[in-house]
Amino acid sequence: MSKPLLLLTRHFPEAVEARAARDYATIPNTADTRMTGPEIVAAARKAEPAGILCAAGDALNAETIAALPESVRIIATFSAGTDHIDLAAAAARGIPVANTPDVLSVATAEIAMLLILSAARRGGEAERMVRARQWTGWAPTQLMGVTLEGKVLGILGMGRIGQALARMARGFGMEIHYRNRRPLPEAEAQGATYHDSDESFLGAIDVLSMHIPGGAATRHWLDAQRIALLRPGAIVVNTGRGSTVDDAALCAALESGHLRAAGLDVFDGEPRIFEGYYSAPNVMLLPHLGSATVETRDAMGFRALDNVDAVLLRGEAPPYPVK
Ligand code: DGY
């Protein structure tokens, strides 16, 4: 029996592509650049694949999905986030969408912790100074940051990534507060303090770490009003989705000194980055590295292929469907 055709919109880790090639006739994206929506449509119409393996940032919007050939029976994304896929359009076409939750929780929490540390201890500024050959030697008041021990970390969205970050931050002596749709069972909260309003949450914390999904409901959640509720000198870190932050408002608060520093791994409209961040010394900018470890990216790929296998090899529902 011939192998089902699988369109890969990206170049994926070697082990993932090897497993895909073992079980499918793969149509690779050899360019190693993101395919545009029209390019995905053109490739799919040409090859008529049974499945599409895509990734965060791919333009699986309503227009792309509507133009896909009838052959497509699954869209599997190599990501936990699904804001790049028009789920309603896929449902209208009867194409199941599946993602890769859980396996990236620790890696993403590590990047959040890295940004928290860098923001608190001015890691970005310090590294830029040394590289610019501007370090003139140790000085008692040079690049002083704040210590994390005893500070309150506020986790917005206490899912698996938030909980992994809470475990790490406890190791630094931080107290954990969180804002969620509902309180977690104690086994998951591990003593963290739940807030049922933005006002009480934002007013109680020294560091805000954001872990909420993108999309219309969360667009610009962190706006000027909510920033004003944060304590003077607070730190903001975002490893969720860039669209959840009003960049102009965040930049203004970093410039006025109301906020001490920020650390961002995700950006609204990335890879485009809000111009004001480039010249703000107190913001550390990373290129969406959250899940970028060898172990995690392999695990994401294998999970994505588990989804494809269920639909295309066994005629079953994918194990990680997006509802
Ligand atoms: C995801 O999986 O949604 C990440 O943002 C990409 O690693």
Side-chain angles (χ1 to χ4, degrees):
M1 205 176 79
S2 62
K3 295 173 180 177
L5 277 169
L6 182 64
L7 173 64
L8 313 183
T9 64
R10 304 288 186 108
H11 173 53
F12 292 101
E14 210 177 312
V16 175
E17 292 210 346
R19 175 173 148 184
R22 184 193 67 195
D23 300 326
Y24 301 94
T26 53
I27 307 146
N29 172 2
T30 43
D32 201 18
T33 53
R34 181 185 305 200
M35 290 167 93
T36 63
E39 284 168 348
I40 293 172
V41 169
R45 286 194 166 174
K46 187 170 168 212
E48 307 221 315
I52 296 180
L53 182 58
C54 64
D58 286 347
L60 269 297
N61 52 31
E63 216 182 342
T64 304
I65 290 175
L68 292 175
E70 288 294 320
S71 59
V72 175
R73 285 157 44 213
I74 176 153
I75 296 173
T77 183
F78 178 93
S79 64
T82 55
D83 53 323
H84 55 295
I85 304 175
D86 191 315
L87 299 175
R93 290 283 314 267
I95 305 173
V97 175
N99 68 344
T100 64
D102 308 341
V103 286
L104 40 70
S105 304
V106 168
T108 307
E110 283 175 350
I111 287 292
M113 198 67 230
L114 182 154
L115 288 172
I116 292 168
L117 281 162
S118 295
R121 299 302 305 275
R122 305 177 66 173
E125 279 173 88
E127 217 262 349
R128 287 193 296 274
M129 184 186 80
V130 173
R131 270 187 197 282
R133 301 172 190 271
Q134 282 167 357
W135 187 40
T136 52
W138 189 91
T141 57
Q142 187 177 63
L143 285 174
M144 290 191 297
V146 286
T147 196
L148 294 178
E149 188 174 35
K151 299 289 191 306
V152 180
L153 170 62
I155 298 179
L156 176 70
M158 189 70 149
R160 290 187 179 87
I161 297 171
Q163 290 169 42
L165 175 64
R167 283 194 292 279
M168 294 175 195
R170 282 189 193 99
F172 285 86
M174 299 188 82
E175 180 184 326
I176 315 297
H177 288 222
Y178 70 103
R179 175 95 176 97
N180 230 19
R181 269 176 296 216
R182 57 192 74 84
L184 295 176
E186 187 40 41
E188 287 165 41
Q190 294 281 313
T193 304
Y194 171 71
H195 290 264
D196 62 5
S197 80
D198 296 338
E199 289 73 17
S200 74
F201 173 64
L202 294 169
I205 62 179
D206 302 300
V207 178
L208 170 66
S209 190
M210 299 178 62
H211 304 275
I212 51 176
T218 57
R219 181 151 188 85
H220 289 187
W221 183 91
L222 189 67
D223 57 9
Q225 274 178 322
R226 288 196 174 96
I227 288 173
L229 295 172
L230 283 163
R231 293 171 172 175
I235 286 169
V236 169
V237 161
N238 188 13
T239 53
R241 281 294 181 264
S243 59
T244 61
V245 170
D246 177 340
D247 294 316
L250 180 58
C251 260
L254 288 166
E255 198 180 341
S256 74
H258 174 60
L259 295 181
R260 173 181 301 281
L264 305 174
D265 185 45
V266 286
F267 302 91
D268 195 10
E270 63 185 52
R272 185 181 53 80
I273 293 181
F274 184 74
E275 199 53 40
Y277 291 135
Y278 287 108
S279 52
N282 48 349
V283 56
M284 178 147 191
L285 308 171
L286 294 181
H288 203 147
L289 287 183
S291 61
T293 70
V294 173
E295 298 87 344
T296 300
R297 290 282 165 87
D298 280 353
M300 289 166 72
F302 297 151
R303 188 150 284 192
L305 288 172
D306 290 344
N307 284 320
V308 178
D309 292 354
V311 175
L312 300 187
L313 302 184
R314 299 194 300 278
E316 295 169 4
Y320 302 96
V322 179
K323 308 234 170 72

